[in-house]
């Protein structure tokens, strides 16, 4: 072995005898004794730290906070900012802090009342007087009407009941006709309607033509215009006959008396028209000036319509009401409310017992003239109803709306029977065939008019040719002609070539 090499030493591992737990305890006691002797550990005899009591104190603080928040949520604080300030002043608190809004101030009062405890909250509740809530009873109320209204209702009942009985007898007779004969007649009518073409186009005025209507005998056509003029035209020649001057503002529509050109004299009331200035004028066939004015409307009159008897005239007004006038008594007998927005259109049932109205509130109503009750509420349109018409069968009602649709309502079932997605723009006019209601004509602001089959409501024909919005449509009494009036200042006559 050389001198540079160190001798190898082997370190033996200590072997402990006895219990390991006892050895660890002995080592721990030795460590504590050495720490006490060196002064690094200071243990006072008899003192201890109770951890469980400390946890219980924290838990009580959290529960107390939850209880305070619960009381704060249950405290009713006024939403009136002035009352909140008064309450803060009573409690000795500042009524306003910098940058504090009404909502923050209300929350501060709530938290402060919660911190005062239940005693103060109960006292505050006792000081607050209890306000007794009034119970309102919902019941139908009536107001006394004029004597003329009672007489008119009795007269309408006596007039309408025989007509309703006659209509039902005709319906029973029609039901007995064989289906093959009905289908053949219907197919012939559909072929006729699909062959319609523009026979005549006439410039009717210098401004848009708002409405048009055939006379009861079909030989005259009345048109109204935004120029304030109404005109009569010969049919089917479309030659001017007379110009009616009397309105100073836009004329909404003009209608014929049900017996004009048939049984009553030309010198009596044969037509009625309305204007945006609230005036309603009555016309004869002999004079170009009005024979009478109906006064009493405070705002715009949209449409007028004659009762089937011709004795009464219905008007719709933009004061959210419609009115019934007795032309024989020369007086207003009914001023009916019921719509929440302007009433725009009106139509009478063929029997004379019912009248239908449509408003810009998107709702329609059916009124019983014999009792004054609203017997049907038509709800379904998304926008205002601009036109309404009743089928000659007496129970189908058509409504045209700003939502581009036409809805068919059934009075018997009191619900909407069918919805026609008719046009791509608002529907301005709807008209049933006057004889049996076998088809429906609609006019729209999409510059077209369309013919729809009944029943089924399938499209039969599109009458296209106007360069502007179609504002009025009508069907001749013999169903041979259809007329349309437009924003482009023309009216067109449609017939089979």
């Amino acid at each position: 072995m050389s001198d540079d090499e160190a001798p190898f030493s082997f370190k033996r591992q200590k072997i402990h005898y006895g219990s390991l737990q006892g050895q660890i305890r002995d080592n721990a006691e030795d460590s504590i004794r050495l720490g006490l002797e060196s002064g690094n550990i200071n243990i006072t005899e008899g003192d201890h730290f109770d951890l469980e009591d400390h946890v219980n104190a924290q838990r009580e603080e959290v529960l107390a906070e939850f209880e305070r928040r619960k009381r704060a949520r249950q405290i009713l604080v006024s939403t009136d900012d002035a009352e909140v300030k008064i309450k803060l002043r009573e409690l000795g608190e500042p009524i306003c802090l910098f940058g504090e809004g009404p909502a923050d101030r209300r929350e501060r009062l709530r938290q402060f009342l919660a911190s005062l405890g239940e005693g103060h909250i109960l006292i505050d509740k006792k000081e607050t007087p209890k306000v007794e809530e009034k119970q309102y009873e919902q019941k139908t109320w009536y107001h006394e009407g004029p004597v003329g209204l009672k007489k008119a209702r009795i007269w309408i009942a006596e007039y309408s009941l025989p007509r309703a009985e006659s209509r039902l007898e005709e319906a029973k007779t029609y039901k007995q006709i064989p289906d093959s004969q009905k289908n053949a007649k219907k197919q012939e009518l559909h072929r006729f309607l699909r062959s319609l073409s523009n026979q005549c186009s006439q410039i009717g005025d210098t401004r848009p033509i708002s409405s048009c209507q055939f006379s009861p005998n079909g030989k005259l056509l009345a048109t109204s215009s935004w120029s304030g003029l109404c005109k009569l035209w010969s049919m089917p020649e479309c030659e001017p006959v007379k110009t009616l001057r009397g309105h100073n503002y836009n004329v909404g529509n003009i209608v014929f008396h049900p017996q004009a050109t048939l049984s009553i004299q030309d010198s009596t009331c044969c037509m009625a028209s309305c204007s945006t200035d609230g005036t309603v004028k009555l016309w004869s066939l002999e004079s170009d000036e009005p024979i009478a004015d109906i006064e009493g409307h405070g705002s715009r009159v949209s449409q007028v319509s004659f009762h089937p008897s011709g004795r009464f005239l219905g008007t719709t007004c933009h004061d959210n009401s419609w009115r019934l006038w007795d032309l024989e008594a020369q007086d207003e007998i009914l001023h009916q409310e019921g719509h929440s927005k302007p009433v725009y259109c009106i139509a009478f049932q063929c029997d004379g017992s019912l009248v239908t109205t449509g408003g810009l509130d998107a709702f329609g109503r059916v009124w019983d003239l014999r009792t004054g009750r609203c017997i049907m509420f038509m709800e379904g349109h998304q926008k205002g109803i601009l036109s309404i018409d009743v089928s000659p069968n007496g129970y189908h009602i058509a409504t045209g709306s700003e939502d581009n649709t036409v809805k068919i309502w059934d009075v018997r079932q009191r619900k909407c029977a069918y919805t026609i997605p008719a046009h791509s723009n608002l529907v301005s006019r709807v008209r049933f065939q006057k004889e049996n209601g076998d088809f429906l004509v609609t006019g729209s602001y999409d510059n077209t008019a369309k013919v729809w089959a009944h029943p089924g409501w399938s499209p039969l024909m599109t009458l296209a040719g106007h360069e502007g919005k179609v504002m009025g449509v009508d069907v001749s009494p013999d169903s041979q002609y259809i007329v349309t009036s437009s924003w482009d200042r023309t009216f067109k006559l449609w017939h089979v070539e």
Side-chain angles (χ1 to χ4, degrees), residues 138-175:
Q138 295 184 357
K139 61 180 181 179
T140 305
W141 58 273
Y142 302 91
H143 63 84
E144 187 176 356
V147 179
L149 178 59
K150 180 180 179 181
K151 294 181 179 179
R153 293 198 191 284
I154 295 174
W155 190 93
I156 290 173
E158 295 175 349
Y159 173 83
S160 62
L161 290 176
R163 290 173 62 92
E165 184 178 358
S166 175
R167 176 174 56 83
L168 293 177
E169 288 296 331
E170 292 178 0
K172 292 179 182 178
T173 303
Y174 179 77
K175 188 176 181 180

Side-chain angles (χ1 to χ4, degrees), residues 15-29:
I15 300 175
H16 299 277
Y17 298 94
S19 174
L20 181 61
Q21 183 178 2
Q23 187 67 30
I24 293 174
R25 183 174 62 251
D26 295 341
N27 293 338
E29 291 176 356

Side-chain angles (χ1 to χ4, degrees), residues 2-211:
S2 62
D3 296 337
D4 296 334
E5 294 180 355
F8 177 77
S9 61
F10 178 77
K11 186 177 181 180
R12 291 186 177 183
Q13 186 178 2
K14 293 183 179 181
I15 300 175
H16 299 277
Y17 298 94
S19 174
L20 181 61
Q21 183 178 2
Q23 187 67 30
I24 293 174
R25 183 174 62 251
D26 295 341
N27 293 338
E29 291 176 356
D30 293 342
S31 300
I32 293 173
R33 181 175 54 78
L34 294 174
L36 288 174
E37 293 175 356
S38 62
N40 295 329
I41 300 177
N42 184 14
I43 297 179
T44 305
E45 295 182 359
D47 292 344
H48 65 278
F49 182 75
D50 194 346
L51 182 61
E52 185 177 356
D53 293 341
H54 178 68
V55 172
N56 290 338
Q58 288 183 342
R59 184 180 303 160
E60 289 177 359
E61 290 180 3
V62 172
L63 292 177
E65 177 66 18
F66 279 125
E67 285 295 328
R68 188 188 67 79
R69 293 181 182 181
K70 182 179 179 181
R71 289 198 306 270
R73 287 194 300 268
Q74 295 175 349
I75 296 174
L76 301 178
V77 181
S78 174
T79 56
D80 188 354
D81 192 47
E83 295 182 5
V84 172
K85 291 182 179 179
I86 293 173
K87 189 64 179 178
L88 287 171
R89 189 181 296 277
E90 292 176 357
L91 296 174
E93 287 291 306
I95 64 173
C96 185
L97 299 179
F98 180 76
E100 186 180 49
D104 300 331
R105 186 160 37 251
R106 183 168 178 265
E107 184 63 25
R108 181 162 60 91
L109 175 60
R110 186 195 303 275
Q111 297 298 333
F112 185 74
L113 290 175
S115 64
L116 292 178
E118 295 185 2
H120 190 279
I121 296 173
L122 293 175
I123 294 174
D124 184 67
K125 288 183 179 179
K126 290 180 181 179
E127 293 177 354
T128 304
K130 293 184 179 180
V131 180
E132 296 182 357
E133 296 183 357
K134 296 182 180 180
Q135 298 293 333
Y136 295 98
E137 296 182 2
Q138 295 184 357
K139 61 180 181 179
T140 305
W141 58 273
Y142 302 91
H143 63 84
E144 187 176 356
V147 179
L149 178 59
K150 180 180 179 181
K151 294 181 179 179
R153 293 198 191 284
I154 295 174
W155 190 93
I156 290 173
E158 295 175 349
Y159 173 83
S160 62
L161 290 176
R163 290 173 62 92
E165 184 178 358
S166 175
R167 176 174 56 83
L168 293 177
E169 288 296 331
E170 292 178 0
K172 292 179 182 178
T173 303
Y174 179 77
K175 188 176 181 180
Q176 296 176 357
I177 299 176
D179 292 339
S180 59
Q181 187 175 348
K182 294 179 185 178
N183 294 334
K185 185 177 180 180
K186 194 169 297 183
Q187 290 175 3
E188 182 181 356
L189 176 63
H190 290 179
R191 283 195 299 268
F192 172 81
L193 294 173
R194 290 190 179 98
S195 303
L196 288 174
S197 62
N198 185 10
Q199 179 179 349
C200 175
S201 180
Q202 179 68 274
I203 298 177
D205 208 290
T206 58
R207 296 207 64 191
I209 301 177
S210 56
S211 71

Side-chain angles (χ1 to χ4, degrees), residues 274-321:
C274 62
S275 176
T276 56
D277 60 356
T279 60
V280 177
K281 297 184 182 295
L282 305 179
W283 310 84
S284 68
L285 292 175
E286 292 182 348
S287 176
D288 59 355
E289 295 182 357
I291 60 175
D293 291 346
I294 296 180
E295 299 178 352
H297 300 94
S299 56
R300 172 185 174 182
V301 180
S302 301
Q303 291 185 19
V304 295
S305 180
F306 275 102
H307 186 267
S309 65
R311 176 179 172 177
F312 304 100
L313 181 71
T315 60
T316 60
C317 193
H318 273 233
D319 61 0
N320 305 354
S321 69

Side-chain angles (χ1 to χ4, degrees), residues 222-239:
T223 61
S224 61
S225 171
W226 281 11
S227 65
L229 299 178
C230 299
K231 296 183 180 182
L232 295 178
W233 308 81
S234 63
M235 288 288 114
E237 296 83 7
C238 297
E239 295 293 334

Side-chain angles (χ1 to χ4, degrees), residues 333-347:
I333 60 173
L334 179 62
H335 184 179
Q336 181 67 59
E337 297 179 344
H339 290 269
S340 59
K341 287 187 178 182
V343 186
Y344 200 84
C345 50
I346 184 172

Side-chain angles (χ1 to χ4, degrees), residues 481-497:
Y481 297 94
I482 295 176
V483 65
T484 57
S485 61
S486 172
W487 180 276
D488 61 10
R489 302 168 296 144
T490 68
F491 68 88
K492 297 183 183 294
L493 191 66
W494 306 85
H495 183 60
V496 177
E497 293 183 355

